[in-house]
Amino acid sequence: MHSLGFWAEIITHLDLGEVALPGGKREEGDANDVETALREAKEEIGLDASLLQVVTLLHPFVSVRGISVVPVVALLLDRKTYNPVPDPTEVELILDAPLEMFLKDKNRREEELQVRGHRCLLHFFDYETEDEKFVIFALTAAILTRTASVVYQKEPEFVVRSPKLWH
């Protein structure tokens, strides 16, 4: 059986100092959530919409700041044609993490934290490249876990327990 080899393009934001996905606020010229996601991916990491096939939109999450986040899932049609160009004012680096890792219990831990007045369990995934170690957690981890479940059509090896405000 072959591994499908899905990867998540993940960025680290300079201003936030955390691992995140490309995205941002809808602007006046954006007709919908897909257009917003495609524009933000182009601006932040140089990912041209013509290289993508939008597959689905996931149910929205609400961030700890009360902002509705609508994940847009797209496939990169030909990985060789994409040459990442991170916006140096927003993105420190781009990393690829295997999407399937967000379904496995390996390299995952959980922590109970206080989020907007609610005690909740957050998932943390440790990911290493040859040069660096990264921690993918909270909303980013939740979005990638849900995306992996949709793409691979299976549940994670662990119980997903996230803040109610994300659902």
Side-chain angles (χ1 to χ4, degrees):
M1 190 160 124
H2 302 312
S3 168
L4 294 175
F6 287 100
W7 294 79
E9 290 291 335
I10 304 172
I11 60 179
T12 60
H13 280 280
L14 287 174
D15 58 338
L16 300 175
E18 62 188 41
V19 176
L21 297 165
K25 187 176 180 181
R26 183 182 290 183
E27 293 182 358
E28 192 173 311
D30 298 338
N32 54 43
D33 294 324
V34 171
E35 282 191 19
T36 299
L38 296 175
R39 177 186 49 74
E40 287 286 343
K42 177 70 173 170
E43 290 174 7
E44 291 186 17
I45 61 173
L47 183 54
D48 192 281
S50 66
L51 302 175
L52 299 171
Q53 178 182 350
V54 174
V55 177
T56 192
L57 279 71
L58 301 180
H59 293 286
F61 290 79
V62 177
S63 76
V64 294
R65 295 177 184 93
I67 298 167
S68 179
V69 177
V70 179
V72 176
V73 179
L75 295 176
L76 183 59
L77 298 172
D78 182 0
R79 196 172 174 92
K80 295 176 196 160
T81 60
Y82 171 50
N83 181 28
V85 182
D87 176 346
T89 64
E90 291 192 61
V91 178
E92 183 177 340
L93 65 92
I94 300 171
L95 64 110
D96 286 332
L99 189 58
E100 192 173 25
M101 105 177 194
F102 297 96
L103 295 176
K104 299 182 182 218
D105 208 25
K106 181 180 179 186
N107 299 323
R108 184 195 69 87
R109 58 191 158 77
E110 51 191 45
E111 243 178 81
E112 191 171 303
L113 299 172
Q114 189 83 8
V115 178
R116 292 184 67 193
H118 302 284
R119 296 203 54 77
C120 59
L121 212 55
L122 298 180
H123 299 279
F124 293 74
F125 292 88
D126 297 310
Y127 179 69
E128 288 186 42
T129 65
E130 289 179 13
D131 304 323
E132 295 185 66
K133 293 181 180 183
F134 300 92
V135 179
I136 303 163
F137 66 99
L139 187 60
T140 301
I143 291 170
L144 290 169
T145 299
R146 188 178 297 164
T147 301
S149 291
V150 168
V151 168
Y152 288 102
Q153 292 294 294
K154 65 181 185 181
E155 294 298 316
E157 295 174 355
F158 52 90
V159 176
V160 176
R161 293 179 281 188
S162 56
K164 290 180 183 172
L165 59 100
W166 287 355
H167 303 285

